[in-house]
Amino acid sequence: MLTLDRKLYRDLGTLKGQVIAIALIVACGITSLVTMTSTYQSLLFSQQHYYTQYRFTDLFVSLKRAPESLMQEITAIPGVSQGRSRVVENVTLDVPGLADPAMGRLISIPNQPQPLLNDLVLRSGRYIQPGQSSEVIASEIFVKANHLALGDHINAIINGHWQPLRIVGTALSPEYIYEISGTEILPDNRRFGVLWMDRQALATAFNLQSAFNDVVLTLTPGANSRAVIFRLDKLLEPYGGLGAYGRDQQLSHRFLSDDLTGLQVMALILPLIFLSIAAFLVNMVLARLITTQRDQIAVMKAFGYSHQEVGLHFFKLVVVVVSLGMGLGLALGYWLGGAFTQFYGRYYHFPTMEYHTSLTVIIGAIALSLVAALAGAMRAIAGVVSLPPAQAMQPEPPASFKPTLLEYLGLQGWLSPPERIILRNLERRPLQASLSAVGIALAVAMLVVGGYFSDGIDQLINRQFHSVQRDDLTLAFVHPLAGRVRYDLAHLPGVMGVEPFRTVPVRLRFEQRSRLASLTGLTNPSTLRRLAGAHDQTLPLPSQGLLITTKLAELLRLQPGQTLTVEILEGTRPVRQVTVVGLVDELVGLPIYMDNDALHRLLGEAPSFSGAFLKVDHQWLPQLYHQLKEMPTVASVAQRQNLVTQFEATIATTFGVMNGVIMLFAIIIAVAVIYNAARIALSERRRDLATLRIIGFTQTEIALILLGEQALITLAALPLGGLLGYGLAWWLHQSPAQNTEVVRIPFTIQPSTYLFATLVTLLAAGASGLLVARQLHQLDLIAVLKTRE
């Protein structure tokens, strides 16, 4: 073994505490990079493979009714590669073991298996048989959620008539990786399921023989999707077309894409923060080591070691430390990435989801670690290379002390000698103290960011599901019903309040931008659906004009007071110019609101309603559910409490897991940075502290001097860390991952978050202080006070 390598191992043993701290921070950075990137790649690979193998389509459009012969014109549109016409209908289901009514989406399939667009992955059972009109293939997740089995029957209201449906198989489809109805923004696998049924049987039940009401299309490579959508909408307009949209607006794909974007953002931010702190600590530790080994460096050079060999020796030290963290990070990242991939598999349903870590990720992690090591070591190693042997043999010149600011002001009488020493040491090395404070502040900032996620989720739940949505049940009808329905609903058991609403599909146009949306007319005044402004103040429902969400206004780039072109996509399809009166700050979806009477005038129709918000006595829910199941006009029933449960089980859980990882890493950073700062201070001040002990200072007083400096630095870092955390959380809030069209996490940081970050940092400082105080107690005064001659 080379002489310098033996010295390297001795140095590692001497610095073992600091080596472990730096390695842990490097491990945090590499773990976060490998975890997020590999999870992203695994999801992306599974998605692309699934989409390709089972022919996920590019365009989607629903309509009222069109003859099958129209498909020839549709597939003849330039840019269209393939097309598939379907019959798609939503029905009410009576599921065994489920008290409240469920919603089923019936989708037609041929009575013989054949390659299809949005094809099925048969998971169990068999395909439907010709002539068996009651047989269905059910989505696997719906069957599992309701503990159903092959051969079980569920009852459905099909075109006003009860019909038993027999489950003969279970399947998945790329169209429903994230199985969601579209009327809600969260999956409820017990109360919503997709059922594939014989085309002829389904068309006969809904009077759509030789006709269709849904089309899916694939495009040729390089096709202009906007041009195809324009021509498709024009072609389907006479047949009640509801507006074609691309894959980017398809709900299942949109949710997955948003999560993939979020993983990309976190894979960029976390490693950069952790590895930057690691580089900072490497620089501090190496600079301190070089200072204490000046005489050894001089001896090495005097014995013939070149500048490059000595510099390489210290760089090897850095590489070993970083390699330890890198190895641990790669192992943890691989394990945690697999766990994250399995976690996402609970919500996104792929036929197979294989954990995939590419060689590029591993090479990138190694390269990033080495860059961090080189960045941290560069300045210190440059000092080693340039240090002449004769100069290195001499002790460092003594520090130059001068009165502190308080002493200039004549306030030194208020300070004890240890306190004056603390202030002088801080003023003597302001850069070092500032860098230590910045390192601790970054740890505080990460704790604040972790708290921001928790605070945002809590506020979203409180605002959306308690403040905005005040109804107990939301009913959606199969088709708009006459105004008297509100009185019929009021007589149902347990109903204490009814507010009907009218929903119509619309296309919004402003300048060159357009958007498909749903316009909802509310009862005025609306008490079961509160309209909230930017500062959570209640907004009155205007008698004329529209209220739109802040996010939709951002997408369309319009301001209140401007006029919006509203194209109604049902009935006579009128096109109206409507003024945007104000903005609502809802956090879920992109709703648009209007007064019910104004909407009826806009449509030119008598009062009719698409659904109703109900306030009910929960003791009567079983009887109410029983009656709602038997009402053929009711398409779906959503309970607000179920929405809260679904949200907590999906989005809140996802953010919670991510937040837990961030908080754990932030605590590691806090402990590592504070311990390193205190340990380096002890190494640099050993001689000074030993001298103070000799001249009469007690063990407690010198501990107060050393740890008092670290305490002041930590206290100074707390407000700085709070500001950095606030800024970083705001930057994350503005990123696409936190500000999607589906869900928007509000920007809020509660005082409890700052308090938690402060307490964790102080506990880390206290623990580090105890470790350093123990080492201080074991200080060998004679060995330390020896001078170099």
Side-chain angles (χ1 to χ4, degrees):
M1 182 182 292
L2 296 177
T3 303
L4 290 184
D5 289 338
R6 286 199 294 272
K7 176 182 177 300
L8 172 64
Y9 289 122
R10 288 198 300 269
D11 289 340
L12 289 172
T14 303
L15 300 169
K16 56 182 178 295
Q18 292 151 281
V19 166
I20 292 172
I22 297 172
L24 284 176
I25 294 181
V26 173
C28 288
I30 299 304
T31 299
S32 60
L33 175 65
V34 174
T35 298
M36 303 304 175
T37 306
S38 61
T39 303
Y40 168 81
Q41 289 184 341
S42 299
L43 288 174
L44 187 63
F45 176 81
S46 300
Q47 177 200 51
Q48 292 176 344
H49 179 72
Y50 193 14
Y51 283 2
T52 301
Q53 187 172 1
Y54 292 93
R55 296 170 287 280
F56 185 49
T57 50
D58 299 308
L59 296 182
F60 307 79
V61 62
S62 297
L63 55 145
K64 188 173 182 180
R65 178 192 174 97
E68 187 63 33
S69 59
L70 190 66
M71 282 301 298
Q72 294 181 356
E73 296 183 56
I74 292 174
T75 54
I77 294 175
V80 173
S81 174
Q82 288 180 287
R84 174 190 168 196
S85 65
R86 307 185 296 185
V87 175
V88 180
E89 293 287 351
N90 292 332
V91 298
T92 299
L93 301 178
D94 182 12
V95 180
L98 185 64
D100 41 327
M103 176 181 171
R105 177 160 298 157
L106 299 179
I107 301 178
S108 65
I109 54 175
N111 57 18
Q112 295 284 349
Q114 56 184 270
L116 299 172
L117 298 180
N118 296 338
D119 210 348
L120 302 185
V121 186
L122 196 63
R123 302 283 283 179
S124 66
R126 60 172 174 83
Y127 200 78
I128 60 173
Q129 293 182 345
Q132 300 296 320
S133 61
S134 64
E135 290 187 351
V136 295
I137 298 173
S139 63
E140 182 182 45
I141 188 65
F142 175 71
V143 169
K144 288 182 177 180
N146 286 289
H147 307 290
L148 299 172
L150 297 177
D152 285 351
H153 287 80
I154 53 178
N155 295 316
I157 299 180
I158 297 181
N159 207 11
H161 303 284
W162 278 105
Q163 178 177 334
L165 302 175
R166 181 169 176 260
I167 300 173
V168 299
T170 64
L172 298 174
S173 170
E175 192 175 2
Y176 292 97
I177 290 178
Y178 191 74
E179 194 163 302
I180 189 170
S181 66
T183 57
E184 305 294 340
I185 59 102
L186 298 170
D188 186 350
N189 301 126
R190 291 204 69 195
R191 297 170 180 82
F192 173 74
V194 182
L195 308 172
W196 291 273
M197 187 175 179
D198 175 62
R199 168 73 178 261
Q200 184 176 355
L202 188 56
T204 301
F206 287 95
N207 300 316
L208 287 169
Q209 299 93 333
S210 300
F212 60 89
N213 65 357
D214 193 90
V215 178
V216 290
L217 304 170
T218 58
L219 302 178
T220 58
N224 187 331
S225 60
R226 296 182 64 180
V228 174
I229 289 174
F230 177 80
R231 297 192 61 171
L232 185 60
D233 285 341
K234 287 296 183 182
L235 182 61
L236 295 180
E237 185 174 321
Y239 303 97
L242 298 180
Y245 55 92
R247 182 185 290 183
D248 61 330
Q249 294 298 317
Q250 200 262 349
L251 269 180
S252 172
H253 176 81
R254 187 57 184 265
F255 267 92
L256 181 54
S257 296
D258 288 343
D259 268 342
L260 289 173
T261 301
L263 287 170
Q264 279 186 305
V265 171
M266 299 309 293
L268 172 66
I269 295 173
L270 293 183
L272 285 178
I273 293 175
F274 295 139
L275 294 177
S276 296
I277 296 174
F280 161 73
L281 289 182
V282 164
N283 179 70
M284 284 205 308
V285 171
L286 195 58
R288 196 280 306 171
L289 182 64
I290 291 169
T291 299
T292 59
Q293 294 189 1
R294 286 170 60 92
D295 53 347
Q296 297 179 33
I297 294 171
V299 170
M300 285 188 286
K301 290 186 176 183
F303 274 90
Y305 288 102
S306 66
H307 296 309
Q308 291 75 17
E309 288 175 317
V310 175
L312 181 61
H313 162 70
F314 284 99
F315 184 69
K316 280 183 181 180
L317 174 68
V318 176
V319 170
V320 170
V321 174
V322 173
S323 296
L324 291 173
M326 184 171 56
L328 179 61
L330 288 173
L332 284 176
Y334 184 84
W335 173 79
L336 196 57
F340 264 57
T341 301
Q342 291 181 352
F343 172 77
Y344 277 101
R346 294 165 52 186
Y347 307 110
Y348 297 112
H349 310 295
F350 297 94
T352 57
M353 181 183 284
E354 297 182 2
Y355 180 54
H356 180 73
T357 304
S358 69
L359 184 61
T360 304
V361 174
I362 297 175
I363 294 175
I366 294 173
L368 201 57
S369 302
L370 294 177
V371 167
L374 185 61
M378 184 74 71
R379 183 170 176 270
I381 292 176
V384 172
V385 171
S386 62
L387 189 63
Q391 181 181 342
M393 293 292 290
Q394 301 174 0
E396 279 191 291
S400 175
F401 284 93
K402 60 181 179 179
T404 64
L405 177 62
L406 291 178
E407 290 172 306
Y408 275 124
L409 297 176
L411 302 177
Q412 63 272 21
W414 295 86
L415 302 175
S416 65
E419 291 170 345
R420 288 201 294 272
I421 293 174
I422 291 172
L423 292 178
R424 285 185 176 182
N425 281 323
L426 291 176
E427 285 197 8
R428 179 180 62 164
R429 296 180 177 178
L431 179 60
Q432 182 174 322
S434 299
L435 290 176
S436 297
V438 169
I440 298 171
L442 287 172
V444 177
M446 291 304 298
L447 290 167
V448 172
V449 169
Y452 149 71
F453 286 118
S454 297
D455 294 341
I457 291 293
D458 290 341
Q459 184 173 353
L460 191 155
I461 292 174
N462 289 330
R463 282 182 58 182
Q464 188 65 33
F465 300 113
H466 297 290
S467 179
V468 173
Q469 296 178 223
R470 298 180 172 183
D471 58 296
D472 296 310
L473 296 180
T474 301
L475 306 184
F477 305 142
V478 175
H479 53 77
L481 301 178
R484 65 178 180 275
V485 69
R486 67 191 310 169
Y487 306 108
D488 297 335
L489 294 174
H491 288 89
L492 292 176
V495 175
M496 299 185 296
V498 179
E499 290 186 7
F501 60 84
R502 178 74 164 98
T503 301
V504 293
V506 296
R507 180 183 286 107
L508 306 176
R509 299 187 188 277
F510 182 72
E511 296 177 347
Q512 76 275 18
R513 293 171 289 279
S514 66
R515 198 82 183 177
L516 291 173
S518 291
L519 173 57
T520 301
L522 299 177
T523 302
N524 199 356
S526 176
T527 59
L528 298 183
R529 178 56 59 101
R530 175 176 172 266
L531 304 176
H535 302 289
D536 202 30
Q537 78 277 16
T538 300
L539 297 178
L541 185 65
S543 57
Q544 299 288 338
L546 298 174
L547 291 176
I548 70 173
T549 56
T550 306
K551 181 63 178 180
L552 182 57
E554 174 190 324
L555 293 171
L556 294 175
R557 300 178 193 172
L558 60 78
Q559 300 292 329
Q562 294 180 310
T563 300
L564 195 60
T565 300
V566 180
E567 178 185 343
I568 308 297
L569 299 179
E570 70 172 41
T572 59
R573 305 174 74 93
V575 178
R576 300 285 187 265
Q577 302 294 318
V578 186
T579 301
V580 175
V581 178
L583 303 179
V584 292
D585 196 28
E586 288 195 25
L587 304 172
V588 175
L590 301 174
I592 310 165
Y593 297 116
M594 194 175 193
D595 177 81
N596 255 331
D597 294 335
L599 179 55
H600 292 141
R601 290 193 297 271
L602 186 73
L603 298 174
E605 66 176 18
S608 62
F609 301 106
S610 308
F613 303 121
L614 302 185
K615 190 73 174 175
V616 302
D617 184 341
H618 286 258
Q619 294 181 349
W620 289 87
L621 276 178
Q623 296 92 322
L624 178 59
Y625 284 150
H626 180 73
Q627 291 206 21
L628 290 174
K629 285 182 179 181
E630 296 182 346
M631 295 176 64
T633 54
V634 175
S636 67
V637 179
Q639 186 179 358
R640 178 168 56 91
Q641 187 54 47
N642 289 337
L643 294 177
V644 177
T645 303
Q646 296 158 27
F647 190 91
E648 291 175 344
T650 53
I651 295 176
T653 302
T654 303
F655 276 100
V657 170
M658 192 78 67
N659 180 50
V661 173
I662 293 174
M663 297 293 271
L664 175 62
F665 288 175
I667 292 172
I668 291 174
I669 289 178
V671 174
V673 171
I674 294 173
Y675 173 77
N676 261 285
R679 187 66 181 81
I680 290 171
L682 174 60
S683 299
E684 292 175 339
R685 306 284 309 288
R686 289 162 63 91
R687 185 178 180 82
D688 295 344
L689 296 174
T691 302
L692 293 175
R693 286 282 288 119
I694 294 297
I695 64 176
F697 279 73
T698 66
Q699 183 76 34
T700 302
E701 286 176 322
I702 65 168
L704 175 64
I705 291 172
L706 178 64
L707 300 180
E709 293 179 27
Q710 302 308 309
L712 288 179
I713 290 173
T714 301
L715 292 175
L718 290 173
L720 176 61
L723 290 174
L724 288 174
Y726 184 94
L728 185 57
W730 174 254
W731 183 68
L732 284 172
H733 173 70
Q734 298 300 314
S735 70
Q738 309 298 319
N739 193 19
T740 70
E741 297 180 26
V742 180
V743 175
R744 294 168 291 282
I745 306 299
F747 181 74
T748 178
I749 303 177
Q750 298 296 328
S752 58
T753 293
Y754 291 109
L755 179 61
F756 175 78
T758 300
L759 289 177
V760 169
T761 305
L762 293 178
L763 287 174
S768 301
L770 290 175
L771 292 174
V772 173
R774 182 182 176 185
Q775 295 174 350
L776 185 61
H777 181 71
Q778 299 171 349
L779 198 64
D780 187 341
L781 302 182
I782 297 176
V784 170
L785 288 173
K786 287 181 178 179
T787 59
R788 295 181 301 172
E789 298 296 333

